[in-house]
mmCIF file of all heavy atoms in Angstrom:
data_model
loop_
_atom_site.group_PDB
_atom_site.id
_atom_site.type_symbol
_atom_site.label_atom_id
_atom_site.label_comp_id
_atom_site.label_asym_id
_atom_site.label_seq_id
_atom_site.Cartn_x
_atom_site.Cartn_y
_atom_site.Cartn_z
ATOM 1 N N VAL A 98 70.036 102.417 90.198
ATOM 2 C CA VAL A 98 70.607 103.066 91.343
ATOM 3 C C VAL A 98 71.875 102.313 91.695
ATOM 4 O O VAL A 98 71.880 101.078 91.768
ATOM 5 C CB VAL A 98 69.623 103.074 92.544
ATOM 6 C CG1 VAL A 98 70.256 103.637 93.785
ATOM 7 C CG2 VAL A 98 68.370 103.857 92.191
ATOM 8 N N LYS A 99 72.976 103.034 91.878
ATOM 9 C CA LYS A 99 74.269 102.407 92.096
ATOM 10 C C LYS A 99 74.648 102.446 93.564
ATOM 11 O O LYS A 99 74.619 103.505 94.189
ATOM 12 C CB LYS A 99 75.330 103.152 91.271
ATOM 13 C CG LYS A 99 75.072 103.120 89.789
ATOM 14 C CD LYS A 99 75.805 104.279 89.121
ATOM 15 C CE LYS A 99 75.233 104.578 87.768
ATOM 16 N NZ LYS A 99 73.941 105.241 87.801
ATOM 17 N N PHE A 100 75.022 101.286 94.110
ATOM 18 C CA PHE A 100 75.582 101.182 95.438
ATOM 19 C C PHE A 100 77.078 101.022 95.227
ATOM 20 O O PHE A 100 77.530 100.075 94.605
ATOM 21 C CB PHE A 100 75.079 99.963 96.190
ATOM 22 C CG PHE A 100 73.613 99.983 96.540
ATOM 23 C CD1 PHE A 100 72.764 100.968 96.119
ATOM 24 C CD2 PHE A 100 73.092 98.958 97.297
ATOM 25 C CE1 PHE A 100 71.429 100.955 96.445
ATOM 26 C CE2 PHE A 100 71.733 98.933 97.628
ATOM 27 C CZ PHE A 100 70.898 99.921 97.207
ATOM 28 N N MET A 101 77.872 101.972 95.726
ATOM 29 C CA MET A 101 79.332 101.953 95.523
ATOM 30 C C MET A 101 80.040 101.895 96.864
ATOM 31 O O MET A 101 79.687 102.635 97.781
ATOM 32 C CB MET A 101 79.765 103.177 94.708
ATOM 33 C CG MET A 101 79.077 103.263 93.344
ATOM 34 S SD MET A 101 79.563 104.703 92.413
ATOM 35 C CE MET A 101 81.216 104.248 91.962
ATOM 36 N N LEU A 102 81.026 101.041 96.944
ATOM 37 C CA LEU A 102 81.779 100.849 98.178
ATOM 38 C C LEU A 102 83.270 100.946 97.884
ATOM 39 O O LEU A 102 83.798 100.214 97.057
ATOM 40 C CB LEU A 102 81.468 99.465 98.766
ATOM 41 C CG LEU A 102 82.151 99.104 100.076
ATOM 42 C CD1 LEU A 102 81.576 99.934 101.219
ATOM 43 C CD2 LEU A 102 81.972 97.622 100.369
ATOM 44 N N LEU A 103 83.930 101.886 98.546
ATOM 45 C CA LEU A 103 85.358 102.039 98.452
ATOM 46 C C LEU A 103 85.975 101.360 99.681
ATOM 47 O O LEU A 103 85.661 101.732 100.815
ATOM 48 C CB LEU A 103 85.773 103.507 98.423
ATOM 49 C CG LEU A 103 87.262 103.810 98.340
ATOM 50 C CD1 LEU A 103 87.803 103.407 96.987
ATOM 51 C CD2 LEU A 103 87.522 105.277 98.604
ATOM 52 N N HIS A 104 86.796 100.346 99.460
ATOM 53 C CA HIS A 104 87.318 99.558 100.575
ATOM 54 C C HIS A 104 88.764 99.145 100.287
ATOM 55 O O HIS A 104 89.277 99.318 99.181
ATOM 56 C CB HIS A 104 86.443 98.321 100.837
ATOM 57 C CG HIS A 104 86.279 97.454 99.639
ATOM 58 N ND1 HIS A 104 87.107 96.387 99.362
ATOM 59 C CD2 HIS A 104 85.376 97.496 98.607
ATOM 60 C CE1 HIS A 104 86.707 95.787 98.252
ATOM 61 N NE2 HIS A 104 85.655 96.461 97.764
ATOM 62 N N GLY A 105 89.389 98.604 101.296
ATOM 63 C CA GLY A 105 90.797 98.237 101.170
ATOM 64 C C GLY A 105 91.031 96.803 100.744
ATOM 65 O O GLY A 105 92.065 96.230 101.086
ATOM 66 N N GLY A 106 90.140 96.181 100.044
ATOM 67 C CA GLY A 106 90.360 94.842 99.524
ATOM 68 C C GLY A 106 89.642 93.756 100.306
ATOM 69 O O GLY A 106 90.243 92.726 100.646
ATOM 70 N N LYS A 107 88.423 93.968 100.650
ATOM 71 C CA LYS A 107 87.623 92.937 101.355
ATOM 72 C C LYS A 107 87.303 91.799 100.390
ATOM 73 O O LYS A 107 87.334 91.977 99.178
ATOM 74 C CB LYS A 107 86.321 93.554 101.888
ATOM 75 C CG LYS A 107 86.521 94.743 102.789
ATOM 76 C CD LYS A 107 87.188 94.353 104.081
ATOM 77 C CE LYS A 107 87.378 95.574 104.979
ATOM 78 N NZ LYS A 107 88.104 95.263 106.173
ATOM 79 N N GLY A 108 86.943 90.651 100.941
ATOM 80 C CA GLY A 108 86.603 89.516 100.117
ATOM 81 C C GLY A 108 85.358 89.741 99.292
ATOM 82 O O GLY A 108 84.426 90.436 99.723
ATOM 83 N N GLU A 109 85.343 89.173 98.113
ATOM 84 C CA GLU A 109 84.248 89.379 97.160
ATOM 85 C C GLU A 109 82.886 88.931 97.745
ATOM 86 O O GLU A 109 81.875 89.599 97.584
ATOM 87 C CB GLU A 109 84.557 88.655 95.869
ATOM 88 C CG GLU A 109 83.593 88.955 94.760
ATOM 89 C CD GLU A 109 84.016 88.307 93.464
ATOM 90 O OE1 GLU A 109 85.190 88.460 93.082
ATOM 91 O OE2 GLU A 109 83.170 87.645 92.846
ATOM 92 N N GLU A 110 82.876 87.776 98.369
ATOM 93 C CA GLU A 110 81.616 87.239 98.935
ATOM 94 C C GLU A 110 81.118 88.104 100.084
ATOM 95 O O GLU A 110 79.914 88.319 100.214
ATOM 96 C CB GLU A 110 81.837 85.785 99.403
ATOM 97 C CG GLU A 110 80.567 85.049 99.658
ATOM 98 C CD GLU A 110 79.733 84.833 98.398
ATOM 99 O OE1 GLU A 110 80.283 84.719 97.298
ATOM 100 O OE2 GLU A 110 78.501 84.768 98.532
ATOM 101 N N VAL A 111 82.020 88.641 100.874
ATOM 102 C CA VAL A 111 81.655 89.503 101.988
ATOM 103 C C VAL A 111 81.016 90.783 101.459
ATOM 104 O O VAL A 111 79.969 91.231 101.970
ATOM 105 C CB VAL A 111 82.903 89.818 102.842
ATOM 106 C CG1 VAL A 111 82.625 90.890 103.860
ATOM 107 C CG2 VAL A 111 83.412 88.551 103.523
ATOM 108 N N VAL A 112 81.619 91.391 100.460
ATOM 109 C CA VAL A 112 81.095 92.620 99.880
ATOM 110 C C VAL A 112 79.729 92.361 99.236
ATOM 111 O O VAL A 112 78.799 93.150 99.381
ATOM 112 C CB VAL A 112 82.087 93.219 98.852
ATOM 113 C CG1 VAL A 112 81.480 94.392 98.118
ATOM 114 C CG2 VAL A 112 83.377 93.641 99.557
ATOM 115 N N LYS A 113 79.597 91.236 98.553
ATOM 116 C CA LYS A 113 78.329 90.891 97.922
ATOM 117 C C LYS A 113 77.220 90.731 98.965
ATOM 118 O O LYS A 113 76.111 91.213 98.797
ATOM 119 C CB LYS A 113 78.460 89.611 97.120
ATOM 120 C CG LYS A 113 77.222 89.220 96.339
ATOM 121 C CD LYS A 113 77.466 87.975 95.509
ATOM 122 C CE LYS A 113 76.225 87.590 94.734
ATOM 123 N NZ LYS A 113 76.444 86.412 93.926
#
Side-chain angles (χ1 to χ4, degrees):
V98 174
K99 299 157 200 73
F100 294 5
M101 301 179 72
L102 180 71
L103 180 69
H104 56 93
K107 304 293 180 184
E109 188 174 311
E110 195 64 31
V111 170
V112 172
K113 184 177 180 180

